[in-house]
Amino acid sequence: MRNLASYAAILALIVVGAALSAPASAVDGKEVFLAQKCNTCHSVSTAAIEATTKSEKMKGPDLVGVVQAHDTAWVSDFIQKKIDKEGKKHAKEFKGTAEELAAIVAWLESQKK
């Protein structure tokens, strides 16, 4: 019996250790949005994020509903400066990874009016 209890305890430690060392399952779009400083120009009112710029010239639109107004491919392309909107490209080209870009766009898609 004592050996069985010891084995169970060791197995429990292995399982807990594996869970603690496992990588995060997904990139958080909100965290990437903030880390990339998108909130310098853009607000996301549904997430209580306000643009930090004081310049009205630099301030971009609130991004709530942007994916619904366009689509995920358009938003991804616009952020990467592949396309323009009304003759203007996005002010800054996204420099993150493809996974981070997908996370931001998915998160923005969840921000609905």
Side-chain angles (χ1 to χ4, degrees), residues 30-53:
K30 181 179 179 180
E31 287 180 14
V32 176
F33 183 88
L34 295 171
Q36 292 287 329
K37 298 184 173 138
C38 302
N39 64 313
T40 300
C41 301
H42 296 285
S43 58
V44 182
S45 57
T46 54
I49 295 173
E50 294 296 323
T52 59
T53 186

Side-chain angles (χ1 to χ4, degrees), residues 1-10:
M1 259 323 182
R2 188 172 190 203
N3 283 341
L4 185 59
S6 296
Y7 289 127
I10 291 170

Side-chain angles (χ1 to χ4, degrees), residues 64-71 74-75 85 113:
V64 173
V66 71
V67 176
Q68 289 76 28
H70 300 284
D71 63 35
W74 184 92
V75 173
K85 179 180 181 184
K113 293 181 181 181

Side-chain angles (χ1 to χ4, degrees), residues 3 11-12 20 23 26 32 35-36 39 41 46 58 62 64 66 76-78 85-87 89 91 96 104-105 109 112:
N3 283 341
L11 181 60
L20 292 175
V32 176
Q36 292 287 329
N39 64 313
C41 301
T46 54
M58 291 290 298
D62 185 326
V64 173
V66 71
S76 292
D77 287 347
F78 184 69
K85 179 180 181 184
E86 300 170 3
K89 299 260 187 221
I104 285 179
V105 174
E109 185 174 25
K112 299 175 182 172

